[in-house]
Amino acid sequence: PEARRAALDAYNFYTARDLDRGWASSLTAKAAMALSKIDLKLGNLQEALKKTEEAVSLFKSTSGSDSPLLSGAYKRLGEIYTRKEMWVEARDFFHKAYKLEAIKDAFDLVEIVVIHQGLMDAHLGRGPLQRTVFKTYFRTVTEVLKRVKSLKQDGNTGAYYKLAAEMFVLGDDCKAGL
């Protein structure tokens, strides 16, 4: 509750400042994301969804539709829809986050693995496996693999190679990514 109050104060401050200035700012979006994170942890899914959607709109209007700032917001939407058991929506947003995370200048393999796992969790154990759907992710996974190959090879890169291979197997294409 105290963390939420502080995040709400920040959000209200930036929202008021935006109104005074007559334009929206990415700081308001970041404050909305802080609120949505807390609301998600508290189980307030509708509030988390509302603030994350607002952040997406603000990030797009202030930074463009391909802004890396959207990656975290899309991931959060994937998490919210997963909690709501809305699997198609969860998959869509995890995939959007994955695509943006893959092209970020500040490449974070650990974050990519987290997003990959969220995407896979939204598929597996959710009814009949639709192997053709996995092919839609191949391009993103292949782009990440190119970047991973240029990294210092360690346990994290090894883990990603395994995850990528599993994706290709699930998509019925063992030659993909080569």
Side-chain angles (χ1 to χ4, degrees), residues 45-56:
L45 300 182
Q46 280 311 113
E47 279 302 308
L49 179 61
K50 182 178 158 191
K51 289 296 180 233
T52 307
E53 287 175 338
E54 179 182 353
V56 165

Side-chain angles (χ1 to χ4, degrees), residues 23-63:
W23 69 80
S25 73
S26 63
L27 291 172
T28 304
K30 290 174 183 176
M33 287 297 293
L35 262 177
S36 76
K37 181 178 186 176
I38 294 165
D39 280 328
L40 180 60
K41 286 188 182 287
L42 294 173
N44 303 330
L45 300 182
Q46 280 311 113
E47 279 302 308
L49 179 61
K50 182 178 158 191
K51 289 296 180 233
T52 307
E53 287 175 338
E54 179 182 353
V56 165
S57 177
L58 288 168
F59 283 140
K60 283 181 177 180
S61 71
T62 60
S63 304

Side-chain angles (χ1 to χ4, degrees), residues 60-178:
K60 283 181 177 180
S61 71
T62 60
S63 304
S65 62
D66 61 350
S67 169
L69 295 170
L70 285 164
S71 176
Y74 288 152
K75 176 185 163 204
R76 179 82 36 81
L77 287 169
E79 293 167 341
I80 293 166
Y81 284 119
T82 294
R83 294 270 298 271
K84 293 173 80 106
E85 297 185 4
M86 297 173 70
W87 308 117
V88 172
E89 293 84 354
R91 292 174 200 144
D92 182 49
F93 283 109
F94 280 125
H95 188 209
K96 286 179 179 184
Y98 207 154
K99 289 190 288 189
L100 285 175
E101 201 66 38
I103 61 171
K104 272 186 172 180
D105 289 337
F107 187 72
D108 183 352
L109 184 55
V110 173
E111 185 64 11
I112 286 173
V113 167
V114 169
I115 292 168
H116 181 101
Q117 285 301 133
L119 178 61
M120 296 303 287
D121 289 347
H123 275 284
L124 303 176
R126 313 289 174 226
L129 192 62
Q130 299 173 349
R131 291 186 178 278
T132 57
V133 174
F134 290 94
K135 291 180 191 274
T136 63
Y137 310 133
F138 284 8
R139 174 184 239 162
T140 304
V141 173
T142 301
E143 289 302 312
V144 171
L145 280 171
K146 288 177 190 172
R147 294 188 77 179
V148 169
K149 288 175 184 174
S150 70
L151 298 175
K152 177 181 176 252
Q153 301 300 293
D154 60 13
N156 289 330
T157 57
Y160 189 77
Y161 290 134
K162 177 184 176 293
L163 294 173
E166 289 169 351
M167 176 77 76
F168 296 136
V169 168
L170 287 168
D172 258 348
D173 191 346
C174 294
K175 293 181 182 175
L178 296 176

